[in-house]
Amino acid sequence: MTGSNRAPILLAGIGNPDRGDDGFGPAVANRLRGSLPDGVRILERNSDVLALIDEWNGCFAVVLVDAAAPVSRPGRIHRLDLTSQPLSVGLERSSTHAFGIAEAVELARNLDRLPPHLIAYLVEGERFEIGAALSQRVAETVDRVAERILREISLLSAACRAAGAAEHA
């Protein structure tokens, strides 16, 4: 863990719950509230995704959750390690945010401000209209993605503790 007072792991649910499947990220974040171990902070962001760069400053790991463009089939889950690779062009949709995850991650990469671990869980969306609820296919993935993130955060927490122990050895 760094010297900052921030939690070493950040979970960011990105999207607007009032725009159909764009609300996927906040839905997963809400599902995980109260289930995550100590040292994990939950953040919901429906605008100004570039501000994530400041939010993850000092974090050991960041897990981003958002809706993606429908590439193959709505509801398909993608787990991406963005620490060493950019977001696949096909998955990034025109964002309802001023800037999307891809722009924030690549700007942070160029500024050498990526966290040591940056994982994204994206689910291909189906509808993004104002006032729409999550589509059935996307809603059915919320629990599965939340379970996968719980397992991932458990591993990241252990790695963070080990890194902290190694720092103090």
Side-chain angles (χ1 to χ4, degrees), residues 6 8 33 36 44 46 54 56 67 83 85 93 99 113 123 126 128 132 137 148-149 152 155-156 158 167:
R6 294 192 177 198
R33 284 193 198 287
L36 296 171
E44 290 183 39
N46 66 11
D54 287 329
W56 70 44
T83 308
Q85 67 182 23
R93 63 186 179 80
F99 292 95
R113 292 188 59 196
V123 170
E126 186 171 17
F128 298 93
R137 290 178 183 168
R148 287 174 68 175
I149 289 172
E152 180 120 29
L155 295 172
L156 289 168
E167 254 180 41

Side-chain angles (χ1 to χ4, degrees), residues 3-120:
S4 83
N5 291 328
R6 294 192 177 198
I9 299 175
L10 173 66
L11 170 72
I14 300 165
N16 184 339
D18 296 324
R19 292 190 67 109
D21 293 339
D22 193 42
F24 174 75
V28 172
N30 283 328
R31 184 66 43 94
L32 289 168
R33 284 193 198 287
S35 303
L36 296 171
D38 289 340
V40 180
R41 180 171 58 114
I42 296 177
L43 171 72
E44 290 183 39
R45 176 81 58 200
N46 66 11
S47 63
D48 195 14
V49 177
L50 288 178
L52 286 170
I53 296 169
D54 287 329
E55 293 289 347
W56 70 44
N57 186 41
C59 289
F60 176 78
V62 176
V63 178
L64 305 173
V65 187
D66 198 5
V71 176
S72 59
R73 64 177 166 75
R76 182 174 176 203
I77 301 166
H78 299 267
R79 182 210 174 268
L80 305 165
D81 183 341
L82 300 178
T83 308
S84 58
Q85 67 182 23
L87 180 61
S88 171
V89 173
L91 287 174
E92 181 72 352
R93 63 186 179 80
S94 340
S95 180
T96 59
H97 332 293
F99 292 95
I101 290 175
E103 291 90 355
V105 169
E106 294 313 307
L107 177 61
R109 189 183 319 280
N110 288 326
L111 296 173
D112 197 27
R113 292 188 59 196
L114 284 180
H117 302 276
L118 180 58
I119 306 299

Side-chain angles (χ1 to χ4, degrees), residues 117-137:
H117 302 276
L118 180 58
I119 306 299
Y121 281 88
L122 306 175
V123 170
E124 293 182 33
E126 186 171 17
R127 65 174 172 225
F128 298 93
E129 302 83 26
I130 294 174
L134 290 177
S135 66
Q136 181 178 347
R137 290 178 183 168

